[in-house]
Each structure stands twice: as structure tokens, then as C-alpha cells.
Amino acid sequence: MSGKRRADPGPGSEGKKKGKRELAAEFSAALREEPLRRQAAEAWGRREKFSHDAIVMDPDPFHHCVIPNFLQCQTFLEGLHKELMDLNFHEKCNDLYKFKQSDDLKNRDELHISALRKVLFEDFRRWLSDISKIDLDSTIDIFCAKYEYTDVLLCHDDELEGRRFAFILYLVPPWDKSLGGTLDLYNTDEHFQPKQIVKSLIPSWNTLVFFEVSPVSYHQVSEVLSEGKCRLAISGWFHGPPQTRPSSYFEPLLSRSPHIPRDSEILYEWINPVYMDIDSQAQIQEEFEERSEILLKEFFKSEKYEEICEALKKEDLEWSQRGPPNKRFYEKAEEEKLPDVLRDCMELFRSEALFLLLSNFTGLKLHFLASSDEDDEHTDNSKEESKEINYVSSKPENNQESSGHTSQQGKLETAQEPEKKKEKNKSSIPTCSGELRYWKNGHYTLVHDTKNTEFALDLIFYCGCKGWKTEYGGFTSYIADGEDEELLTVTPEENSLALVYRDQQTLKFVKHINHQSLEQKKTGQNRTGFWDFSFVYYE
């Protein structure tokens, strides 16, 4: 009797176990060899750089490792890629990111996904625990993400209770830095705040990157610039004992100041006469009190607006970068070095006359001559409700739209509770803070930048944004704290003044300006960004 012995299933081959079809997968055999395992553990413990064909370990700017050829079987990888591409992906978009993400993979029963989950959270987890001397538990966090043209994940640290290591397994086509989508690592300052990108890791097929999650593990996924290639990656976290975290750093707030003495002549010099008309102001106030937001187009006289734009285009203006990048990234003008016309414009927005005009536009008490709810109570109690001011909040009632200024909330909650009136009028002297900003590709702010503890009136005056499109980003979004759905979107529009009144639970951010904004250059605009005067007023 003769016959052939059946071969043992190799990596990535199919086998039988209790009647259920399974696949076996293995990670890099070189990593599992005792000499290399010991060397890696020693380098990890000493926080030293370590390089080998099978692994590169680097403690700078924070501890991270790159493992090429992580899984051993090419056939398995191709099957895994197919299963992942067949999943349902959901658009994820907010202040921090824009990409597509799969459902949680921890309960998926596809053969290749199940095998990958086993090798990661059983075999590789044991290896990682041995190397790091951290007792990792069996908690599974794993999902798949697709980054396509203009998708991005901005600066963050991944810190969440129990997370000890983050990992990314790339399944990308041939890739280079010109395509974007790099994993960028930031160094940090003495306050554990991110400073700048010091290292960029380029995605590569079957390469696993992992790093220790810590108070300094700031990183981002740079914007994908390829219109034809997809950056597909499996990501997740290994969990373990919580770490001791340093106390939170609270950066100084922007300084506030009361109005500066300037009479109404400054208004007649700068502002379109239609907005100086008493009847127009009453109409604007009525609309603002109804919606808590308004866009005033052609706000400056055309000759003044052109004068501002010409001054802004000059190359000798000095700008400084505003950070840290886990909160904001844009350029701010060095105000003391501005040319006269721009300095005069900043004075206009701080002037006593404009404080009073804004009071007339909004019904807020930003000047002692402006009427208030309390004044109305003394003169005519029956008019109290008509003088209440709405504010942007999280309770939608209807929808309204206007060009360049879209409200998905419409008529917004009315501030009628006495304690809220007391809160918003707690300051006896109205104040403001403001800056002149420049926006271009790569710039943004995050909601962390606008934690608000009081009622506030936002003013944004846009310059140099002719032809700007919403898909470029750069618009200002208002959201309720803890929610992603937008309450209000303010899109840059030439010579337009946006006013928005918001409460303590309303946050705002400027959406990341993507690569598409560079199209401006092709349309004869000769620039790829815009400017705004941004002020916040407090009663």
C-alpha cells in the first residue's frame, strides 16, 4: 500500500478545526527568534535606537517601531485586502479628521480578518508584552480606514484610558512622500505640547508601525494628495495598566481690552452707508435676534476694502505661526508692524463707535448707550420677550440658508432664563479680543481652541477670498459640545462681516484647508489663501 503524506498547512493556508473553516497566519519569523527578541527588549528598556532588517526601533520623538514584512504570506495579504475592500465604509468628518472607516472588526467573521485579529491580539500581543515589559490585556480595538484624495487626520496624541500602544498595518499600493498620507510625528515643548513635525513615516505594503501612547505621542496623517490611490490601513490599540499623566497645561488666554475712544466719524469713513441707516440697523437687529447670526455683505466702502486688500498682498508684512498644532495652525499678523491702513482697521474693530454699532446690530449691551433687557423691564415690562437675544445652541427648530452663510439650525433657542441673563451680563465693562489672520493650505483650528465659558459675539471680516469654494475648507463651523453635527457654517466671502452669538456649550473650528485650494492659482487669483479680521466681544 502506498500513498502521499498530507502536507501540514502553512501560513495563510486553510485548515479544519471543530468543523469550522479557518485560516492560519503568522507574523515575522525573524522577530520571534530569541536573539532578536532579546536585543529588541534590551533596546526598548534602555530607550535606545535599534535597527535590524526585521525591525527599526526609535525613541525619538517618542517610542515607535517599524516592522516591514509583518505578515509572512503574500497570498494571505491579498485575501485580507479583498475582504477589507468589500466592507462597508462610513464617512468620518469633523474638526480633526476626514476619512472613511469600517465597522468595528473585532466581531467580523471573514476568514482573513479573523486570522489577522488572532495573530495581532494573541501572538503579537505576547511578543509586545515581552519586549515592553507591560502586561497587555486582551481588549480588542481594531478597525480599517481608507484615506483618499484630501483626507486627513490632524495632530492628536491618541491618549484614552487604558490605551498603551497604537498600531497601523498598511495595505497600500506603491507609495512615496509626494502622495501624502504620511504618519507625521511631532516633538513637544516643556509643557508637553506639540511643536513641529520632526519625522514622517511613508506607508508601505505589509508594514506595521506601532508606538507607545503617552502624553507626548502627538502625530497626524498628512493630507492624501493622490487622486487615484487609496491609503488603506488597519489600525487599533493594545490596552494595559493606566499610566500616570502630568497635570493639564492651560495656556494663557488672548488678552481682552475695553473699547478705545473713537467717535462715529471712523464709521462713516470705513463702512458702507447702507449699514449706517437707522432703519437698516433696526432690520438687521430684528433678523439677528431671530437667528443669532447674520452676514453683512459689502460691509466696507469699496475704496477702503481695496486699500486693505492691497496692503495685505504686500510681501513685507510679518506673520507668526499660531499653535500648538493640537489646537490650531495658522498665521497671525504682528500687529505692531502693520502698515497704517491695516492698523487703522484693527482700531476700527476695537473702537467705541463700533461697539455701539454692534449693539445696534445685535441688541447686545456692548456700550452704555445701548439698551438692554434690564432697561426694558424698567420702561415696559410687556416688551421683555421681544428684547430677548437668541444664541447659537444645540437645539434645532428649523432650517435656513443664505449665500456664504448657512444655518442648519435656523431659529435658535432663546436666552430667557434669569440665570443665563445674569451670566452673560456678568461683566460690567464690555471687552473684546482680536487678531488679523492668514489662511492657506494646511491651516485649521480644532474645537480644543474654543472652549467657552460665557456668552460671546464672534465677528469675522473676510478679505481676499474671491472664488473661494466650500470644498477647499477654511469655513468656520459651530457645533454643540460633544456633538459632530454642525449648527452653523460660515463660508469666507469677499468684503463680508459675519456675526454669530454663541453660548457656553457651543464650540467652533475652522475646517482644515485642503490641497484643492491650490486651484486658486490656476484661476488667475495669484494666491492660494485669504485673510480675516477675527474678533470676539463680551458684554
Side-chain angles (χ1 to χ4, degrees):
M1 183 175 179
S2 65
K4 293 183 178 179
R5 182 183 176 189
R6 185 174 180 181
D8 292 332
S13 63
E14 297 180 12
K16 293 280 186 177
K17 184 178 179 182
K18 296 182 180 179
K20 184 179 179 181
R21 187 164 172 249
E22 287 190 346
L23 289 181
E26 290 182 336
F27 71 95
S28 170
L31 289 183
R32 289 179 277 127
E33 293 175 357
E34 185 55 34
L36 181 55
R37 182 201 296 258
R38 185 175 60 254
Q39 288 176 301
E42 290 172 355
W44 183 278
R46 292 194 297 263
R47 299 278 165 169
E48 292 177 350
K49 193 167 185 176
F50 177 72
S51 184
H52 184 278
D53 289 344
I55 184 171
V56 176
M57 186 181 294
D58 194 344
D60 187 34
F62 50 85
H63 224 149
H64 63 280
C65 295
V66 179
I67 303 175
N69 303 311
F70 178 69
L71 296 174
Q72 294 194 152
C73 180
Q74 182 66 24
T75 304
F76 177 86
L77 287 162
E78 291 169 357
L80 176 63
H81 184 269
K82 184 180 185 307
E83 285 181 359
L84 294 171
M85 292 301 288
D86 288 340
L87 295 174
N88 290 322
F89 285 82
H90 311 284
E91 186 80 36
K92 304 279 288 183
C93 186
N94 63 13
D95 63 314
L96 185 64
Y97 50 69
K98 183 177 86 74
F99 63 92
K100 293 182 177 68
Q101 182 175 301
S102 72
D103 294 327
D104 196 328
L105 299 184
K106 69 181 177 182
N107 296 317
R108 303 294 303 191
D109 57 8
E110 288 86 349
L111 293 175
H112 296 82
I113 293 174
S114 298
L116 175 68
R117 199 167 55 232
K118 184 177 186 301
V119 77
L120 278 172
F121 290 96
E122 293 182 20
D123 305 336
F124 185 71
R125 176 170 62 88
R126 285 192 293 269
W127 180 91
L128 186 53
S129 288
D130 289 344
I131 294 299
S132 64
K133 303 298 186 285
I134 297 173
D135 185 20
L136 300 176
D137 63 41
S138 58
T139 301
I140 295 175
D141 281 336
I142 184 170
F143 62 90
C144 184
K146 287 198 303 187
Y147 287 77
E148 297 170 318
Y149 185 54
T150 73
D151 286 349
V152 69
L153 173 59
L154 301 174
C155 181
H156 65 292
D157 62 10
D158 264 14
E159 274 214 294
L160 198 64
E161 188 70 24
R163 289 180 181 175
R164 295 307 303 268
F165 291 96
F167 70 86
I168 310 101
L169 175 62
Y170 296 109
L171 295 171
V172 296
W175 204 274
D176 61 51
K177 194 168 184 176
S178 68
L179 302 178
T182 54
L183 179 64
D184 298 331
L185 311 183
Y186 290 79
N187 61 3
T188 51
D189 62 18
E190 67 276 14
H191 303 296
F192 304 103
Q193 296 295 292
K195 291 169 58 180
Q196 60 188 10
I197 295 166
V198 295
K199 188 172 186 177
S200 294
L201 304 176
I202 300 171
S204 180
W205 174 266
N206 192 23
T207 293
L208 182 92
V209 174
F210 71 87
F211 59 84
E212 190 174 16
V213 176
S214 74
V216 299
S217 57
Y218 286 102
H219 60 284
Q220 72 165 13
V221 176
S222 67
E223 181 185 353
V224 172
L225 307 179
S226 170
E227 296 189 58
K229 291 186 177 183
C230 169
R231 181 192 186 275
L232 187 74
I234 297 169
S235 302
W237 296 271
F238 293 99
H239 289 247
Q243 298 184 82
T244 301
R245 299 183 62 175
S247 56
S248 298
Y249 171 68
F250 296 98
E251 61 181 330
L253 298 175
L254 288 177
S255 61
R256 301 181 187 180
S257 59
H259 64 240
I260 56 178
R262 294 288 187 278
D263 62 27
S264 61
E265 288 302 313
I266 193 172
L267 302 182
Y268 289 100
E269 179 185 352
W270 284 84
I271 295 174
N272 186 333
V274 69
Y275 295 115
M276 300 304 297
D277 179 74
I278 296 299
D279 292 335
S280 295
Q281 292 175 15
Q283 185 178 348
I284 289 167
Q285 183 180 139
E286 182 179 353
E287 184 177 344
F288 185 87
E289 289 178 343
E290 177 72 13
R291 295 166 44 190
S292 82
E293 47 92 4
I294 198 165
L295 185 73
L296 306 178
K297 300 184 179 183
E298 302 297 326
F299 186 70
F300 281 172
K301 292 180 176 180
S302 58
E303 62 272 19
K304 275 294 185 183
Y305 179 70
E306 290 302 321
E307 194 176 348
I308 291 173
C309 289
E310 286 303 313
L312 287 168
K313 293 174 188 176
K314 291 182 178 178
E315 295 181 357
D316 57 352
L317 292 183
E318 292 193 26
W319 303 87
S320 60
Q321 183 176 299
R322 283 271 285 140
N326 63 322
K327 296 181 180 178
R328 63 191 80 86
F329 181 59
Y330 61 87
E331 293 178 18
K332 173 188 175 182
E334 297 294 337
E335 193 170 337
E336 65 278 2
K337 298 178 182 179
L338 287 175
D340 289 345
V341 65
L342 297 180
R343 193 176 302 175
D344 291 347
C345 189
M346 296 292 284
E347 283 193 3
L348 166 69
F349 288 118
R350 295 189 176 105
S351 69
E352 180 178 6
L354 192 81
F355 270 64
L356 182 55
L357 182 64
L358 292 175
S359 298
N360 292 344
F361 283 162
T362 64
L364 299 172
K365 192 168 179 62
L366 296 172
H367 192 279
F368 73 92
L369 292 178
S371 63
S372 68
D373 294 338
E374 288 76 10
D375 296 334
D376 294 337
E377 288 171 3
H378 292 302
T379 57
D380 188 352
N381 227 23
S382 66
K383 295 181 182 179
E384 179 181 353
E385 289 190 8
S386 69
K387 291 298 293 180
E388 294 292 351
I389 308 299
N390 295 336
Y391 56 88
V392 175
S393 73
S394 59
K395 298 182 179 179
E397 295 185 18
N398 64 4
N399 295 332
Q400 297 179 11
E401 289 193 3
S402 61
S403 173
H405 197 61
T406 305
S407 172
Q408 296 182 357
Q409 180 183 356
K411 187 177 181 181
L412 304 167
E413 182 178 5
T414 303
Q416 294 181 344
E417 294 87 342
E419 62 271 18
K420 289 183 179 178
K421 287 197 290 183
K422 182 179 178 181
E423 169 69 20
K424 69 181 181 179
N425 290 302
K426 68 180 181 180
S427 174
S428 58
I429 301 177
T431 58
C432 75
S433 62
E435 56 189 0
L436 170 57
R437 309 182 295 186
Y438 178 54
W439 300 95
K440 63 180 181 181
N441 177 220
H443 287 173
Y444 59 86
T445 69
L446 303 178
V447 293
H448 301 299
D449 190 30
T450 54
K451 287 291 184 182
N452 190 34
T453 58
E454 55 195 296
F455 289 77
L457 175 68
D458 292 335
L459 176 153
I460 310 173
F461 179 75
Y462 291 106
C463 300
C465 50
K466 184 177 181 181
W468 193 264
K469 298 178 182 178
T470 305
E471 54 262 37
Y472 299 164
F475 52 83
T476 300
S477 287
Y478 289 82
I479 62 172
D481 195 2
E483 302 289 338
D484 283 346
E485 185 177 354
E486 293 176 346
L487 304 171
L488 176 71
T489 301
V490 182
T491 302
E493 190 167 327
E494 285 278 276
N495 194 9
S496 293
L497 185 83
L499 298 174
V500 180
Y501 189 47
R502 57 188 163 94
D503 69 357
Q504 305 100 316
Q505 284 75 48
T506 302
L507 308 177
K508 65 177 179 177
F509 64 90
V510 177
K511 184 64 178 176
H512 174 264
I513 298 177
N514 62 46
H515 194 70
Q516 289 175 295
S517 63
L518 302 181
E519 294 175 2
Q520 289 283 92
K521 205 85 170 174
K522 301 175 185 176
T523 62
Q525 296 298 317
N526 295 321
R527 59 182 181 276
T528 55
F530 64 89
W531 303 270
D532 67 29
F533 293 82
S534 174
F535 280 77
V536 183
Y537 297 83
Y538 304 90
E539 289 183 280

